[in-house]
Amino acid sequence: MKPILLLFFLFALSVKSTSCAGQGIVFESGSWEDAVKKARKQKKLLFLHVDAPQCGGCTETVNVAFNSPLLREKFALNFISFRVDGTTAVGRELVEKLEIECTPSSAYLDVDENPLARFCGSTTFDRAYLEKAEEAMTRHRTQPMKPLTDAYAKGDRSPALMRNYINRRREIGLSTGDLLDEYIRQLPPDSLQSAALLRFIFEQGPIVSSKPDSVFRARYSRVDSLYRVVGWNKAVELNNRTINNSIRKAIRNKDMTLAVRTAAFVQRTHQNNIKNGMAGREWTMVRYYRGIKDTARFLSAAVRYYDTYFMTARVDSIQNLDNLENQRRMRGTIPPSGGVRPGGSMTSVSSPQSFVLNPNTQRFVGALNNAAWEFYGMTKDPVFLGKALDWSKRSLEFREDPSSMDTYAHLLYRLNRKAEAIDWQEKAVQKSKEFQFPSVTSLEKALQQMKDGTL
């Protein structure tokens, strides 16, 4: 089972609601177009939730929140709500149109289908959806997107309009690369020397090797000063924005050249750590192959990546590192250090106020479990499934949780080791019941299917 990454362990704090009809959010039964028309007629906003059916536990988790009576009034008064399977034609179209980066996922939109707020993942914590609803309503009231969209559509390309439009699109999670390129190309050459302009370009996360990126990188001394001015954490955030914007565009256009250039950029951000730089470069290409659905290249690249950077690490070494980091974080003495995290690139270090227990163990378990589950859903080749089984087994050496045990059981079953699969799935069900995780229903369903030979 794909792990529920966001606020999963806040289940005990959430409202324990039953799933009786009419208690929580009421979703429309018609089409998305009908929902949009209804929102316009009633002058309400739109709430869209995209489900990930391959992750049964994610659906169960979010149902707990959506069935909360706390959400009913707020959403009935202010939103027309729509729910869709992200694997259907309609779901895929909405995911692409709204540039949704993860499933399951929720988006709050105006009636012109401009995103106002987003929530990536699923949680039982109903207040998380309430907070995002408030954010969307406030943004719609104070920063409406329609005037900017209409002005741009009518041909307004004034610097003030362009900067505002670019900033607003970035804030709501929409791509800005082409707009930023258009804006920079229309500016007079002398304005490209401005420190304020360089800061603006930097904040947008310019596409690697684009015109804005070239303007920004051409002035090394100013760029170096800018990195120092914004500070370590902000610089990491903005570099990651450039990486994410670039790889998304590469995937959207199936542009191998841009993917390779982005991977090289990732490597350069780790100029003081050769190993981390190589890991970041390889992970970027894994993302690209997965994104363009090049299964053969993805499987091969993923095997090389996870075997090299995760399977070579000793479990006790990672746990000892966590013990040391936990102590140093609590004392506030841990120094900033970028590096490749499992399944990702350079990230900032959490502050003592955002303390995460055993962060390295969590990253390793999450990365290995995610990779194993992806292989399970992507291939029936016993060689690749064997690799996935090794990764899943390693994740269990770090920590036995229901999600990891479920993944391991599924892989065993796929490899025709039915008795072992049933044994591990029973353990997953038992542990899920002990912790009162909402995923227990999907785990029990999978267990019965294993026993019946129908999984």
Side-chain angles (χ1 to χ4, degrees):
M1 175 184 295
K2 214 170 185 179
I4 301 164
L5 300 178
L6 293 176
L7 301 174
F8 186 80
F9 293 102
L10 289 174
F11 175 67
L13 300 177
S14 68
V15 176
K16 295 185 178 179
S17 310
T18 60
S19 56
C20 58
Q23 189 172 25
I25 297 176
V26 177
F27 291 96
E28 296 296 308
S29 57
S31 67
W32 172 248
E33 289 74 18
D34 290 338
V36 174
K37 290 178 182 177
K38 187 173 181 179
R40 286 174 178 163
K41 183 177 181 179
Q42 297 186 13
K43 297 182 179 180
K44 294 181 178 180
L45 300 178
L46 289 154
F47 174 70
L48 170 68
H49 181 75
V50 182
D51 278 308
Q54 73 275 15
C55 178
C58 302
T59 301
E60 289 180 42
T61 298
V62 78
N63 281 344
V64 174
F66 287 171
N67 283 318
S68 165
L70 291 178
L71 298 184
R72 179 173 174 80
E73 183 178 3
K74 172 71 71 174
F75 280 74
L77 286 175
N78 301 287
F79 296 91
I80 297 299
S81 301
F82 189 82
R83 193 168 185 173
V84 68
D85 177 344
T87 64
T88 63
V90 173
R92 290 194 298 270
E93 181 181 344
L94 287 170
V95 165
E96 181 176 356
K97 179 180 180 179
L98 301 174
E99 301 183 40
I100 293 173
E101 294 298 326
C102 67
T103 54
S105 185
S106 299
Y108 301 74
L109 316 162
D110 64 22
V111 293
D112 295 305
E113 300 177 66
N114 293 307
L116 297 166
R118 301 175 188 262
F119 185 88
C120 179
S122 61
T123 176
T124 61
F125 198 43
D126 49 10
R127 295 185 187 279
Y129 295 97
L130 285 172
E131 289 172 2
K132 285 296 180 179
E134 288 290 349
E135 177 185 329
M137 293 165 61
T138 299
R139 178 167 283 165
H140 179 65
R141 185 172 61 254
T142 61
Q143 298 176 301
M145 191 70 176
K146 184 173 174 56
L148 295 175
T149 303
D150 289 348
Y152 180 81
K154 292 176 181 177
D156 187 345
R157 299 296 187 271
S158 64
L161 182 282
M162 291 293 289
R163 288 173 70 100
N164 198 10
Y165 189 36
I166 290 168
N167 273 329
R168 287 288 289 111
R169 284 183 62 89
R170 173 178 56 78
E171 289 169 359
I172 61 178
L174 293 177
S175 58
T176 62
D178 292 341
L179 283 171
L180 183 61
D181 190 80
E182 181 182 14
Y183 170 62
I184 295 300
R185 289 182 184 279
Q186 73 177 13
L187 294 177
D190 58 344
S191 69
L192 300 182
Q193 307 292 328
S194 165
L197 177 66
L198 295 182
R199 176 68 179 261
F200 175 74
I201 294 174
F202 190 26
E203 289 174 344
Q204 306 312 314
I207 304 298
V208 171
S209 297
S210 64
K211 174 66 173 178
D213 185 58
S214 298
V215 169
F216 179 68
R217 308 284 167 192
R219 291 148 184 82
Y220 177 81
S221 59
R222 288 194 175 186
V223 169
D224 185 58
S225 297
L226 185 55
Y227 270 94
R228 296 176 186 276
V229 167
V230 300
W232 171 264
N233 288 334
K234 188 66 175 179
V236 169
E237 175 193 332
L238 296 178
N239 271 347
N240 283 337
R241 187 175 294 165
T242 286
I243 294 165
N244 290 328
N245 287 344
S246 299
I247 202 64
R248 283 198 294 264
K249 183 172 183 178
I251 291 169
R252 187 167 59 249
N253 297 340
K254 294 187 176 181
D255 187 340
M256 172 73 85
T257 299
L258 178 55
V260 171
R261 287 174 175 170
T262 304
F265 173 79
V266 174
Q267 185 173 9
R268 290 196 300 273
T269 65
H270 299 274
Q271 56 185 328
N272 297 322
N273 191 317
I274 295 175
K275 181 180 179 180
N276 283 354
M278 288 301 298
R281 184 185 188 112
E282 291 189 33
W283 170 245
T284 304
M285 296 310 298
V286 169
R287 288 181 65 184
Y288 175 71
Y289 295 137
R290 182 207 291 139
I292 65 170
K293 296 180 173 58
D294 188 334
T295 303
R297 286 183 173 177
F298 167 73
L299 293 172
S300 297
V303 166
R304 183 172 60 252
Y305 176 74
Y306 287 102
D307 277 357
T308 302
Y309 300 105
F310 298 96
M311 295 300 285
T312 55
R314 290 169 53 93
V315 174
D316 57 351
S317 297
I318 298 300
Q319 292 172 337
N320 289 337
L321 179 61
D322 268 334
N323 291 334
L324 178 61
E325 282 197 19
N326 289 339
Q327 295 173 17
R328 297 172 70 190
R329 284 168 188 260
M330 293 183 72
R331 294 196 302 266
T333 60
I334 188 166
S337 59
V340 171
R341 305 305 190 190
S345 59
M346 187 172 71
T347 56
S348 60
V349 174
S350 301
S351 66
Q353 290 75 23
S354 58
F355 178 81
V356 177
L357 186 65
N358 301 326
N360 296 292
T361 294
Q362 291 193 39
R363 285 192 291 266
F364 268 72
V365 170
L368 290 169
N369 188 36
N370 272 334
W373 184 254
E374 278 194 308
F375 270 44
Y376 171 79
M378 191 173 290
T379 181
K380 294 185 179 179
D381 186 316
V383 174
F384 286 119
L385 289 175
K387 279 292 182 184
L389 188 69
D390 290 341
W391 301 339
S392 183
K393 183 178 180 181
R394 177 60 59 85
S395 76
L396 290 168
E397 292 174 11
F398 282 98
R399 182 180 67 223
E400 290 188 358
D401 60 46
S403 176
S404 297
M405 289 189 284
D406 178 67
T407 299
Y408 192 58
H410 275 72
L411 288 164
L412 288 169
Y413 184 89
R414 180 67 60 82
L415 288 166
N416 297 315
R417 293 162 62 175
K418 183 176 178 180
E420 294 175 81
I422 291 173
D423 181 54
W424 276 99
Q425 192 68 12
E426 287 176 340
K427 292 179 182 178
V429 169
Q430 182 58 39
K431 182 151 287 191
S432 188
K433 288 181 177 179
E434 290 175 7
F435 288 100
Q436 297 183 316
F437 288 165
S439 58
V440 65
T441 303
S442 63
L443 296 179
E444 289 178 323
K445 180 180 178 181
L447 174 60
Q448 190 59 52
Q449 289 175 322
M450 288 179 185
K451 291 179 177 179
D452 295 341
T454 59
L455 184 65

